[in-house]
Amino acid sequence: MEFPKLPDHLFPILSDQELERVWTSRYLTGKSDLATRNRAMLGLMIDTGLRRGEVVALQLEDVDLRDHLLTVTGKGKKQRRVPFSTSVRVLLEEWFKIRGDEPGSVFWLQAQGIRMVFRSIQNELGLARFYPHQMRHQSATMLVRNHADVATVQRILGHSDISTTLQYLSLSDEDLRNKHAAASPFEKLQQQSAVVEMPARRKRLSLKAT
């Protein structure tokens, strides 16, 4: 099967339809221990944009369920605080009921084990691309689509330079149109104050002599 070539400026993230399909995978559905773990791990990666190595390094004591915060050790051993959603908290709580409260790795997986989970889902669903680092781009793009500012995304991803964060965004022309429509200064001015009267359309004059 041949897949369409992506525009050069777009990183190959999943479409909304593909992302929905991912959650139908047998590796993510059901009540088995592995499916429960995989749901929590993938949900966390999409929600926070953690690197694969950061997921591996994440320890039980790094997860604050009450305040919805992670203590993440990134590149250069730099630590940062990363928030996660209530929905991810629910997934983590389900996994922790199985995992228990023994100190150590949150998901009991090394880098290759995480890659194998992704590859299994990819092969099952026939996805063109599906790998851990893709979720980091997925998270960054979806955060911006959902109106997070780039500076906030930079802090969540742990980038020292905002230009690196910008490279992680796969915003299409449609995304830009939607974001502009939602934030248009002139449109807001019209809606909120109606102080600007749109000029009436001029009657077209004929150039022919009367």
Side-chain angles (χ1 to χ4, degrees):
M1 173 183 285
E2 291 188 3
F3 294 93
K5 185 179 184 298
L6 289 163
D8 292 338
H9 67 288
L10 293 183
F11 188 90
I13 64 172
L14 300 178
S15 67
D16 291 345
Q17 293 75 19
E18 287 174 324
L19 200 54
E20 289 174 5
R21 282 188 62 213
V22 165
W23 289 97
T24 68
S25 167
R26 61 189 175 93
Y27 296 99
L28 296 172
T29 54
K31 297 182 179 181
S32 72
D33 293 356
L34 290 181
T36 303
R37 181 202 63 190
N38 292 344
R39 283 196 300 271
M41 181 181 70
L42 185 56
L44 187 69
M45 292 176 74
I46 293 172
D47 207 43
T48 62
L50 294 188
R51 300 177 179 94
R52 180 173 60 172
E54 292 171 344
V55 176
V56 172
L58 197 65
Q59 302 292 297
L60 189 65
E61 60 266 28
D62 295 331
V63 182
D64 183 343
L65 290 176
R66 185 188 66 182
D67 291 336
H68 297 193
L69 286 170
L70 306 174
T71 300
V72 178
T73 302
K75 291 184 176 180
K77 302 297 182 183
K78 293 181 180 179
Q79 288 194 331
R80 67 186 188 277
R81 298 281 271 174
V82 177
F84 56 89
S85 67
T86 300
S87 296
V88 167
R89 174 184 172 173
V90 171
L91 294 177
L92 287 170
E93 287 175 334
E94 290 175 351
W95 165 235
F96 289 165
K97 288 176 185 176
I98 296 168
R99 182 199 179 283
D101 57 3
E102 178 185 347
S105 170
V106 169
F107 298 110
W108 293 338
L109 281 172
Q110 294 301 311
Q112 185 58 27
I114 294 174
R115 185 70 188 92
M116 286 179 63
V117 172
F118 275 77
R119 186 179 294 119
S120 296
I121 295 172
Q122 179 185 12
N123 291 339
E124 177 198 2
L125 300 179
L127 296 171
R129 310 167 186 89
F130 189 62
Y131 49 95
H133 198 69
Q134 187 181 27
M135 295 302 98
R136 190 161 163 82
H137 288 262
Q138 191 88 35
S139 179
T141 301
M142 294 180 75
L143 281 167
V144 171
R145 282 178 180 171
N146 293 329
H147 311 301
D149 61 87
V150 177
T152 297
V153 176
Q154 177 191 4
R155 290 186 62 184
I156 291 172
L157 296 185
H159 290 148
S160 58
D161 191 330
I162 200 167
S163 64
T164 304
T165 308
L166 294 173
Q167 294 173 14
Y168 272 69
L169 304 181
S170 294
L171 298 175
S172 65
D173 289 345
E174 182 180 359
D175 289 321
L176 296 180
R177 284 195 300 270
N178 290 339
K179 289 185 73 62
H180 182 269
S184 166
F186 189 75
E187 196 70 28
K188 294 297 181 186
L189 183 65
Q190 284 292 91
Q191 294 172 358
Q192 293 173 7
S193 61
V195 295
V196 181
E197 255 187 63
M198 298 301 291
R201 186 175 294 178
R202 291 185 178 181
K203 185 176 181 180
R204 180 171 295 181
L205 299 177
S206 173
L207 295 180
K208 295 180 180 179
T210 55

